[in-house]
């Protein structure tokens, strides 16, 4: 009997939860705020779906509701992607070690 | 680009996202981690464009909207003050939630574009996945909006409760399951809209009963939800990058919620059911006798600090409110010139989000190896001369260790009272968030400094 592709996706999902569990426990508590902003940025990979929705179908200039919702989702996700990665970058640059005394 | 090839690239970007989180295990590798994250995102977006192949006139609009969003995001990222990080993160969560909803609705209206069947006969599994993604996305959206409004101070931070709240929420949750079932049965779009409406309502109702200082848990929880929403959409789109990311973010938020709950010695459900703080106020006003308090001015404080050989600083949310981190750092610079050892002690729930204090101190150029977590530093208080408590309150309350009647009994606290002397910067004697008096105020070795945290710190520096 053939296995439903859904099962494979479910396997990826479950294994990723375990990876996430172990990876996140190893994050140092002082970086918990950057952790939240970077998870924010990466969860906006949902933009992939938004792009598909925005580009779907018609070749003429009239857009369906589905297209327009896609466009909106693209800009929302883009705010998050750029905002999330940049603000994380900004924060991480501030974390400095003690300067060695001469 | 063939479907198989793009699936492999999506897998690559999923792996890069794992490495991005892995990088955060130490500040040295974190910047590289962030780079991996950006690379993963770039790959995912590029592959999506390439796999579509034939571009319709929509492409121009897609790029325009991408650019607009990107510019707004970049602008916010550069402008936002570090003290406003909790609001920013809450706001960003709401955007993830809303875009999940929009993608789900868009897929529902035009299932052909996503290979999910045709309107009216969408594949059953896709319909369920879509409903989960849309419902969780909607809850994340409205919940984050409320969290944002509370953090921003537009909405009062005090819990809003009403009779039968829990029962009502439970009924709404059940209705989501029923609506999903009906939707699958009939494919009628009416049920889909109802499902979305109920989910928006739940997100709203879930967050209004939760008070200001529980925000670290709420933000972490919404972080987790935004991940599960993304994963739900990932299943619909059969996209492994989204599934992996959703699972990572979902478990990350769940772990942070757990750490925050443990920091307050409360169960997750206790926080979620809300109303904390409203209940205990009556209790505290009852036994509030007028005990003597020693208060002093900046000169007294400067004298104490000057004669110390080691000082531990305990920052809290009040420091963020007063924007006192830079003034604090200047004071510490002066102390270091006088060969006084200074370290910082951070309680897990200090501030309004996990790690909030660490970011503020980093912003003020405090090296991260002078900043310690509760377990690392708690034994040092007994050997320190001065504890300088700035903007923290409940996390220093010894009642959590000694008084089983106290609502915060059992919560891990910083052993501030073991220091030879304690300087407590606070605007007034009013109780903290938990609504209970802090025994520390009345201890023999405590000197209260009633002033704005920033002004007081500046005054002390002048007097050193």
């Amino acid at each position: 009997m053939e296995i439903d592709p859904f099962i494979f996706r479910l396997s990826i999902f479950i294994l990723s939860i375990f990876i996430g569990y172990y990876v996140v426990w190893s994050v140092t508590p002082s970086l918990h705020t950057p952790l939240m902003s970077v998870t924010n940025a990466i969860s906006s990979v949902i933009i992939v779906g938004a792009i598909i929705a925005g580009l779907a179908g018609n070749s003429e200039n009239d857009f369906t509701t589905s297209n327009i919702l896609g466009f909106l989702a693209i800009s929302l996700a883009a705010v998050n992607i750029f905002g999330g990665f940049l603000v994380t970058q900004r924060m991480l640059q501030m974390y400095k070690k003690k300067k060695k005394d001469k | 680009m063939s479907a198989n090839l793009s699936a492999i690239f999506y897998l690559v970007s999923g792996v890069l996202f794992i490495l991005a989180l892995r990088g955060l295990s130490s500040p040295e590798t974190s910047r590289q981690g962030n780079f991996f994250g950006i690379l993963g995102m770039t790959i995912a977006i590029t592959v999506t464009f390439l796999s579509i192949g034939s571009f319709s006139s929509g492409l121009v609009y897609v790029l325009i909207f991408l650019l607009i969003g990107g510019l707004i995001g970049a602008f916010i990222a550069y402008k936002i003050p570090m003290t406003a990080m909790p609001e920013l993160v809450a706001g960003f969560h709401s955007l993830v939630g809303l875009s999940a909803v929009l993608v789900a609705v868009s897929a529902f209206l035009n299932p052909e574009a996503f290979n999910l069947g045709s309107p009216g006969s969408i594949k059953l599994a896709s319909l369920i996945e879509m409903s989960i993604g849309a419902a969780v996305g909607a809850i994340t959206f409205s919940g984050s909006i409320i969290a944002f409004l509370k953090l921003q101070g537009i909405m009062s931070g005090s819990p809003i409760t009403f009779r039968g709240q829990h029962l009502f929420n439970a009924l709404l949750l059940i209705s989501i399951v029923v609506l999903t079932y009906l939707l699958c049965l009939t494919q009628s779009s009416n049920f889909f809209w109802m499902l979305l409406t109920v989910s928006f309502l739940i997100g709203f109702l879930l967050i209004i009963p939760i008070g200001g200082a529980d925000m670290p848990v709420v933000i972490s929880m919404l972080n987790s939800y935004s991940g599960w929403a993304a994963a739900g959409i990932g299943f619909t789109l059969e996209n492994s990058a989204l599934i992996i990311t959703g699972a990572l973010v979902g478990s990350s938020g769940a772990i942070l919620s757990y750490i925050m709950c443990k920091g307050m010695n409360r169960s997750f459900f206790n926080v979620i059911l809300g109303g904390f703080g409203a209940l205990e106020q009556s209790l505290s006003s009852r036994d509030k006798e007028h005990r003597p308090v020693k208060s002093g001015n900046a000169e007294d404080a400067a004298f104490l600090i000057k004669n110390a050989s080691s000082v531990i600083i305990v920052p809290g949310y009040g420091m963020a409110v007063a924007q006192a981190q830079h003034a604090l750092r200047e004071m510490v610079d002066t102390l270091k010139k006088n060969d006084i050892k200074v370290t910082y002690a951070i309680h897990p729930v200090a501030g309004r989000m996990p790690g909030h204090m660490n970011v503020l101190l980093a912003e003020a150029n405090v090296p991260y190896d002078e900043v310690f977590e509760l377990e690392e530093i708690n034994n040092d208080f007994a050997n320190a001369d001065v504890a300088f408590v700035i903007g923290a309150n409940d996390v220093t309350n010894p009642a959590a260790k000694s008084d089983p009647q106290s609502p915060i009994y059992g919560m891990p606290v910083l052993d501030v009272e073991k220091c030879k002397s304690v300087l407590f910067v606070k605007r007034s004697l009013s109780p903290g968030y938990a609504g209970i008096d802090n025994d520390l105020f009345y201890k023999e070795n405590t000197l209260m400094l009633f002033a704005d945290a920033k002004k007081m710190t500046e005054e002390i520096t002048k007097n050193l």
Side-chain angles (χ1 to χ4, degrees):
Chain A
M1 215 178 88
E2 217 180 312
I3 299 169
D4 191 320
F6 171 79
I7 302 300
F8 289 113
R9 286 194 285 277
L10 190 67
S11 323
I12 295 176
F13 180 64
I14 303 289
L15 292 176
S16 302
I17 291 178
F18 277 90
I19 294 173
Y21 180 86
Y22 289 107
V23 169
V24 172
W25 271 119
S26 73
V27 171
T28 161
S30 66
L31 291 176
H32 276 162
T33 299
L35 170 68
M36 297 199 94
S37 62
V38 86
T39 50
N40 234 316
I42 63 172
S43 56
S44 300
V45 72
I46 205 158
I47 197 169
V48 164
I51 294 173
I52 298 173
L55 289 177
N58 58 337
S59 51
E60 296 90 56
N61 243 337
D62 51 303
F63 297 116
T64 59
T65 323
S66 172
N67 289 137
I68 293 164
L69 293 176
F71 296 151
L72 285 177
I74 288 171
S75 33
L76 294 182
V79 171
N80 246 337
I81 293 173
F82 283 79
F85 280 126
L86 288 174
V87 87
T88 309
Q89 189 78 8
R90 215 183 117 197
M91 276 191 273
L92 294 178
Q93 250 143 24
M94 298 186 311
Y95 281 81
K96 293 192 187 82
K97 244 192 157 135
K98 203 178 334 192
K99 276 189 220 109
K100 290 265 163 63
D101 295 325
K102 277 167 234 162
Chain B
M1 192 180 271
S2 81
N4 286 335
L5 190 59
S6 42
I8 288 174
F9 276 110
Y10 283 133
L11 186 63
V12 170
S13 58
V15 172
L16 286 168
F17 290 150
I18 296 173
L19 294 176
L21 298 193
R22 176 72 200 153
L24 290 171
S25 56
S26 106
E28 279 119 74
T29 54
S30 61
R31 282 169 278 250
Q32 190 194 23
N34 200 39
F35 170 74
F36 283 139
I38 297 172
L39 187 65
M41 187 61 75
T42 316
I43 292 177
I45 293 176
T46 315
V47 168
T48 312
F49 277 116
L50 292 179
S51 64
I52 291 174
S54 66
F55 293 125
S56 64
S57 54
L59 181 66
V60 186
Y61 291 89
V62 167
L63 294 176
I64 289 174
F65 278 92
L66 187 68
L67 198 68
I68 294 174
L71 284 175
I72 297 174
F75 180 77
I76 297 173
Y78 279 110
K79 283 282 165 199
I80 193 91
M82 284 300 141
T83 41
M85 279 317 292
E87 292 94 304
L88 179 76
V89 168
F92 277 174
H93 286 154
S94 74
L95 297 184
V96 180
L98 190 57
S99 37
V101 172
L102 292 178
V103 172
V105 172
S106 168
F108 183 76
L109 293 176
N110 185 6
E112 287 109 328
F114 297 88
N115 287 322
L116 307 175
S118 56
S121 63
I122 298 172
K123 280 186 277 180
L124 180 66
S126 309
L127 209 51
I128 297 174
E129 291 154 6
M130 213 185 272
S131 308
I132 294 174
V136 181
I139 294 172
T140 312
F141 172 69
S142 54
S144 304
I145 294 282
I146 301 297
F148 176 81
L149 293 176
K150 283 195 170 189
L151 286 165
Q152 189 77 284
I154 299 172
M155 218 173 121
S156 152
S158 55
I160 300 169
T161 47
F162 58 86
R163 209 175 247 276
Q165 195 163 23
H166 302 322
L167 185 70
F168 189 61
N169 288 350
L171 284 177
L172 284 179
L173 280 174
I174 294 168
S175 76
I176 283 205
V177 180
V178 175
L179 285 170
T180 310
Y181 176 74
L182 291 173
L183 174 67
C184 295
L185 211 64
T186 62
Q187 299 259 353
S188 152
S189 59
N190 287 337
F191 289 118
F192 190 65
W193 305 133
M194 278 163 71
L195 178 72
L196 280 180
T197 317
V198 174
S199 307
F200 279 124
L201 194 62
I202 290 184
F204 173 77
L205 289 171
L206 220 49
I207 309 302
I208 54 165
I210 305 179
D214 282 340
M215 278 302 151
V217 183
V218 170
I219 295 196
S220 317
M221 187 183 80
L222 290 167
N223 185 236
S224 180
Y225 286 179
S226 70
W228 304 130
I233 302 295
F235 275 101
T236 319
L237 305 181
E238 312 187 343
N239 183 310
S240 51
L242 252 177
I243 297 176
I244 295 174
T245 317
L248 290 178
V249 178
S251 51
S252 160
I255 290 172
L256 289 177
S257 316
Y258 171 78
I259 295 175
M260 293 301 113
C261 286
K262 228 177 109 215
M264 296 192 289
N265 188 38
R266 296 172 57 196
S267 76
F268 184 67
F269 285 103
N270 185 293
V271 175
I272 294 310
L273 294 178
F276 192 68
L279 199 83
E280 286 84 7
Q281 248 140 35
S282 53
L283 194 137
S284 72
S285 55
R286 194 194 55 198
D287 54 29
K288 192 184 269 176
E289 78 259 52
H290 286 279
R291 285 187 279 176
V293 171
K294 270 201 289 182
S295 79
N297 57 25
E299 268 173 63
D300 307 331
F303 177 77
L304 269 171
I305 295 180
K306 222 174 357 189
N307 291 310
S309 62
S310 66
V311 175
I312 300 180
I313 294 171
V314 182
Y317 183 59
M319 181 187 82
V321 175
Q323 303 264 11
Q325 66 272 32
H326 299 282
L328 184 67
R329 150 85 194 190
E330 276 163 33
M331 184 183 95
V332 171
D333 281 346
T334 321
L335 295 181
K336 280 189 189 157
K337 269 183 217 143
N338 295 325
D339 283 328
I340 300 169
K341 187 178 167 248
V342 184
T343 45
Y344 300 80
I346 303 206
H347 191 275
V349 294
R352 284 291 185 265
M353 75 184 292
H356 192 187
M357 290 300 123
N358 302 77
V359 171
L360 292 182
L361 292 176
E363 187 200 14
N365 276 318
V366 173
Y368 62 79
D369 37 9
E370 286 175 10
V371 182
F372 297 95
E373 304 299 318
L374 179 115
E375 297 87 13
E376 297 170 318
I377 202 166
N378 228 2
N379 292 329
D380 297 354
F381 280 108
N383 304 319
D385 297 313
V386 174
F388 187 73
V389 183
I390 175 167
N393 186 1
D394 290 336
V395 298
T396 61
N397 194 341
K401 289 175 290 191
S402 56
D403 178 13
Q405 300 297 314
S406 170
I408 59 167
Y409 182 70
M411 171 170 138
V413 286
L414 293 160
D415 296 334
V416 174
E417 78 281 359
K418 288 189 184 152
C419 270
K420 285 201 193 81
S421 46
V422 178
L423 294 171
F424 209 112
V425 186
K426 204 170 180 309
R427 267 190 295 222
S428 69
L429 262 188
S430 63
Y433 161 72
I436 45 166
D437 226 4
N438 192 340
D439 287 346
L440 197 61
F441 300 164
Y442 312 105
K443 293 260 172 180
E444 195 54 20
N445 56 349
T446 304
L447 187 67
M448 298 298 292
L449 306 166
F450 294 113
D452 174 75
K454 190 177 173 192
K455 281 202 196 103
M456 178 50 80
T457 315
E458 284 166 351
E459 284 289 307
I460 294 175
T461 315
K462 271 185 219 153
N463 281 297
L464 279 172

